[in-house]
Each structure stands twice: as structure tokens, then as C-alpha cells.
Coordinates of all heavy atoms in Angstrom, one line a residue:
L1 N -40.1 23.3 28.5 CA -39.8 22.6 27.2 C -40.5 21.2 27.3 O -40.8 20.6 26.2 CB -38.3 22.4 27.0 CG -37.5 23.7 26.6 CD1 -36.0 23.5 26.7 CD2 -38.0 24.1 25.2
T2 N -40.8 20.7 28.5 CA -41.4 19.4 28.5 C -42.8 19.5 27.9 O -43.4 18.5 27.5 CB -41.5 18.8 29.9 OG1 -42.3 19.7 30.7 CG2 -40.2 18.7 30.6
A3 N -43.4 20.7 27.9 CA -44.8 20.9 27.4 C -44.8 21.0 25.9 O -45.9 20.9 25.3 CB -45.4 22.2 28.0
A4 N -43.7 21.1 25.3 CA -43.7 21.4 23.8 C -43.9 20.2 23.0 O -43.2 19.2 23.1 CB -42.4 22.1 23.5
D5 N -44.8 20.3 22.0 CA -44.8 19.3 20.9 C -43.8 19.7 19.9 O -43.2 18.9 19.2 CB -46.2 19.3 20.3 CG -47.2 18.6 21.2 OD1 -47.1 17.4 21.5 OD2 -48.2 19.3 21.6
V6 N -43.6 21.1 19.7 CA -42.6 21.6 18.8 C -42.1 22.8 19.4 O -42.8 23.7 19.9 CB -43.3 22.0 17.4 CG1 -42.2 22.5 16.5 CG2 -44.0 20.8 16.8
F7 N -40.7 22.9 19.4 CA -40.1 24.2 19.8 C -39.8 25.0 18.5 O -39.3 24.4 17.5 CB -38.7 23.9 20.5 CG -38.0 25.2 20.8 CD1 -38.4 25.9 21.9 CD2 -37.0 25.6 20.0 CE1 -37.7 27.1 22.2 CE2 -36.3 26.8 20.3 CZ -36.7 27.5 21.4
V8 N -40.2 26.3 18.5 CA -40.0 27.1 17.3 C -39.1 28.3 17.6 O -39.2 29.0 18.6 CB -41.4 27.7 16.9 CG1 -41.3 28.4 15.6 CG2 -42.5 26.6 16.8
L9 N -38.1 28.5 16.7 CA -37.2 29.6 16.8 C -37.3 30.4 15.5 O -36.6 30.0 14.5 CB -35.8 29.1 17.0 CG -34.7 30.2 17.4 CD1 -34.9 30.6 18.8 CD2 -33.3 29.6 17.2
P10 N -38.2 31.4 15.4 CA -38.4 32.1 14.2 C -37.4 33.3 14.0 O -37.8 34.2 13.3 CB -39.8 32.6 14.3 CG -40.0 32.8 15.8 CD -39.1 31.8 16.5
S11 N -36.3 33.3 14.6 CA -35.4 34.4 14.7 C -34.9 34.9 13.3 O -34.8 34.1 12.3 CB -34.1 34.1 15.5 OG -34.5 33.8 16.8
L12 N -34.6 36.2 13.2 CA -34.0 36.8 12.0 C -32.5 36.7 12.1 O -31.9 36.8 11.0 CB -34.5 38.3 11.9 CG -36.0 38.6 12.1 CD1 -36.3 40.0 11.8 CD2 -36.8 37.7 11.2
S13 N -31.9 36.6 13.3 CA -30.5 36.4 13.4 C -30.2 35.8 14.7 O -31.0 35.9 15.7 CB -29.7 37.8 13.3 OG -30.0 38.6 14.4
E14 N -29.2 35.0 14.8 CA -28.7 34.3 16.0 C -27.2 34.1 15.9 O -26.7 34.1 14.8 CB -29.4 33.0 16.2 CG -30.9 33.0 16.6 CD -31.2 33.4 18.0 OE1 -30.2 33.5 18.8 OE2 -32.3 33.7 18.3
G15 N -26.6 33.9 17.1 CA -25.2 33.6 17.1 C -25.1 32.0 17.1 O -25.0 31.4 16.0
F16 N -25.2 31.5 18.3 CA -25.3 30.0 18.5 C -26.2 29.8 19.7 O -25.7 29.7 20.8 CB -23.9 29.4 18.7 CG -23.8 27.9 18.4 CD1 -23.9 27.4 17.1 CD2 -23.7 27.1 19.5 CE1 -23.9 26.0 16.9 CE2 -23.7 25.7 19.3 CZ -23.8 25.2 18.0
P17 N -27.5 29.8 19.5 CA -28.4 30.1 20.6 C -28.5 29.0 21.6 O -28.7 27.8 21.3 CB -29.8 30.2 19.9 CG -29.6 29.6 18.6 CD -28.2 29.7 18.2
F18 N -28.3 29.4 22.9 CA -28.4 28.5 24.0 C -29.8 27.9 24.1 O -29.9 26.7 24.4 CB -28.1 29.2 25.3 CG -26.7 29.4 25.6 CD1 -26.0 30.6 25.5 CD2 -25.9 28.3 26.1 CE1 -24.7 30.7 25.8 CE2 -24.6 28.4 26.4 CZ -24.0 29.6 26.2
V19 N -30.8 28.6 23.8 CA -32.2 28.1 23.9 C -32.4 27.0 22.9 O -33.2 26.0 23.2 CB -33.2 29.2 23.7 CG1 -33.2 29.8 22.3 CG2 -34.6 28.8 24.2
L20 N -31.8 27.0 21.8 CA -31.9 25.9 20.8 C -31.2 24.7 21.3 O -31.7 23.6 21.2 CB -31.4 26.4 19.5 CG -31.6 25.4 18.3 CD1 -33.0 25.0 18.2 CD2 -31.1 26.1 17.0
L21 N -30.0 24.9 21.9 CA -29.3 23.8 22.5 C -30.1 23.1 23.6 O -30.1 21.9 23.7 CB -27.9 24.3 23.1 CG -26.8 24.6 22.1 CD1 -25.7 25.4 22.9 CD2 -26.2 23.4 21.5
E22 N -30.8 24.0 24.4 CA -31.6 23.5 25.5 C -32.8 22.7 25.0 O -33.1 21.6 25.5 CB -32.0 24.6 26.4 CG -30.9 25.2 27.2 CD -31.2 26.6 27.8 OE1 -32.2 27.2 27.5 OE2 -30.4 27.1 28.6
A23 N -33.4 23.2 23.9 CA -34.6 22.4 23.4 C -34.1 21.1 22.8 O -34.8 20.1 23.0 CB -35.2 23.3 22.3
L24 N -33.0 21.1 22.1 CA -32.4 19.8 21.6 C -32.1 18.9 22.7 O -32.3 17.7 22.6 CB -31.2 20.1 20.7 CG -31.5 20.8 19.4 CD1 -30.2 21.2 18.7 CD2 -32.4 19.9 18.4
A25 N -31.5 19.4 23.8 CA -31.1 18.6 24.9 C -32.3 17.9 25.6 O -32.2 16.8 26.1 CB -30.4 19.4 26.0
M26 N -33.5 18.5 25.5 CA -34.7 17.9 26.0 C -35.3 17.0 25.0 O -36.4 16.4 25.2 CB -35.7 19.0 26.3 CG -35.3 19.8 27.5 SD -35.3 18.9 29.1 CE -37.0 18.4 29.2
G27 N -34.8 16.9 23.8 CA -35.3 16.0 22.8 C -36.5 16.6 22.1 O -37.3 15.9 21.4
C28 N -36.7 17.9 22.1 CA -37.8 18.6 21.5 C -37.7 18.6 19.9 O -36.6 18.9 19.4 CB -37.9 20.0 21.9 SG -38.5 20.3 23.6
P29 N -38.7 18.2 19.2 CA -38.7 18.5 17.8 C -38.6 20.0 17.5 O -39.3 20.8 18.2 CB -40.1 18.0 17.3 CG -40.5 17.0 18.3 CD -40.0 17.6 19.6
V30 N -37.7 20.4 16.6 CA -37.4 21.8 16.4 C -37.7 22.3 15.0 O -37.4 21.6 14.1 CB -35.9 22.1 16.8 CG1 -35.5 23.5 16.3 CG2 -35.7 21.9 18.3
V31 N -38.3 23.5 14.9 CA -38.4 24.2 13.7 C -37.7 25.6 13.9 O -38.0 26.3 14.9 CB -39.9 24.5 13.3 CG1 -39.9 25.4 12.1 CG2 -40.6 23.2 13.0
A32 N -36.7 25.9 13.1 CA -35.9 27.1 13.3 C -35.6 27.8 12.0 O -35.5 27.1 10.9 CB -34.6 26.7 14.0
S33 N -35.3 29.1 12.1 CA -34.9 29.9 10.9 C -33.5 29.5 10.5 O -32.6 29.2 11.3 CB -34.9 31.3 11.2 OG -36.2 31.8 11.6
R34 N -33.3 29.4 9.2 CA -31.9 29.1 8.7 C -31.1 30.4 8.7 O -30.9 31.1 7.7 CB -32.0 28.6 7.3 CG -30.8 28.0 6.7 CD -30.9 27.7 5.2 NE -31.9 26.7 4.9 CZ -31.7 25.4 4.9 NH1 -30.5 25.0 5.1 NH2 -32.7 24.6 4.7
V35 N -30.6 30.8 9.9 CA -29.8 32.0 10.0 C -28.5 31.7 10.8 O -28.5 30.9 11.7 CB -30.6 33.1 10.7 CG1 -31.7 33.6 9.9 CG2 -31.1 32.7 12.1
N36 N -27.4 32.4 10.4 CA -26.2 32.4 11.2 C -25.7 31.0 11.6 O -25.6 30.1 10.8 CB -26.3 33.4 12.4 CG -26.7 34.8 12.0 OD1 -27.9 35.0 12.1 ND2 -25.8 35.6 11.6
G37 N -25.5 30.8 12.9 CA -25.0 29.5 13.4 C -26.0 28.4 13.5 O -25.7 27.3 13.9
V38 N -27.3 28.7 13.3 CA -28.4 27.7 13.5 C -28.1 26.4 12.7 O -28.3 25.3 13.2 CB -29.8 28.3 13.3 CG1 -30.8 27.2 13.2 CG2 -30.1 29.3 14.3
P39 N -27.8 26.5 11.4 CA -27.5 25.3 10.6 C -26.3 24.5 11.1 O -26.1 23.3 10.7 CB -27.3 25.8 9.2 CG -27.9 27.1 9.1 CD -27.8 27.7 10.5
E40 N -25.5 25.0 12.0 CA -24.4 24.3 12.6 C -25.0 23.3 13.6 O -24.3 22.4 14.1 CB -23.4 25.2 13.2 CG -22.6 26.0 12.1 CD -21.8 27.1 12.7 OE1 -21.1 26.9 13.7 OE2 -21.8 28.2 12.1
L41 N -26.2 23.5 14.1 CA -26.9 22.7 15.0 C -28.0 21.9 14.4 O -28.2 20.7 14.7 CB -27.6 23.6 16.1 CG -26.9 23.7 17.4 CD1 -27.7 24.7 18.3 CD2 -26.7 22.4 18.1
I42 N -28.8 22.5 13.5 CA -29.9 21.8 12.9 C -29.6 21.4 11.5 O -29.3 22.2 10.6 CB -31.1 22.8 12.9 CG1 -31.5 23.2 14.3 CG2 -32.3 22.1 12.2 CD1 -31.9 22.1 15.2
E43 N -29.6 20.1 11.3 CA -29.4 19.5 9.9 C -30.9 19.2 9.5 O -31.6 18.4 10.1 CB -28.6 18.3 9.9 CG -28.3 17.7 8.5 CD -27.4 16.5 8.5 OE1 -26.8 16.2 9.6 OE2 -27.4 15.8 7.5
D44 N -31.3 19.8 8.4 CA -32.7 19.7 7.9 C -33.1 18.2 7.8 O -32.4 17.4 7.2 CB -32.8 20.4 6.6 CG -34.1 21.1 6.4 OD1 -34.9 21.2 7.4 OD2 -34.4 21.6 5.3
Y45 N -34.2 17.9 8.4 CA -34.9 16.6 8.4 C -34.1 15.6 9.1 O -34.4 14.4 9.1 CB -35.1 16.1 6.9 CG -36.2 16.9 6.3 CD1 -36.0 18.0 5.5 CD2 -37.6 16.6 6.5 CE1 -37.0 18.7 4.9 CE2 -38.6 17.3 5.9 CZ -38.3 18.4 5.1 OH -39.3 19.1 4.5

């Protein structure tokens, strides 16, 4: 994750993904699909 300029999660479905939590914990800028529990983590912009 330290190598990432952007972390991308293009999933069609997710529960509450650990990998997204990990990317956020590293301070990675994130682009993710608006599915299931993802908007509970990612507030747009």
C-alpha cells in the first residue's frame, strides 16, 4: 500500500472490506464502488 498513489476497489459487492480499512489506515487515496457497506466507510469527496 505504500507504493499506491491510488487504491482502487472496483468490486461488484462487498460486506465491510478489510482491505479498504487497511488502505484507509495507510492514508491511501481511495476510489471504490458504491456497493453494500462501502459507503459506511467512504464519504464521497
Side-chain angles (χ1 to χ4, degrees):
L1 289 170
T2 64
D5 288 298
V6 181
F7 177 79
V8 186
L9 190 76
S11 300
L12 310 185
S13 68
E14 289 285 351
F16 198 74
F18 278 104
V19 68
L20 187 53
L21 286 166
E22 292 166 349
L24 291 172
M26 288 297 295
C28 290
V30 167
V31 173
S33 298
R34 189 189 298 272
V35 293
N36 307 95
V38 171
E40 294 168 44
L41 261 178
I42 302 298
E43 184 178 346
D44 214 9
Y45 289 95

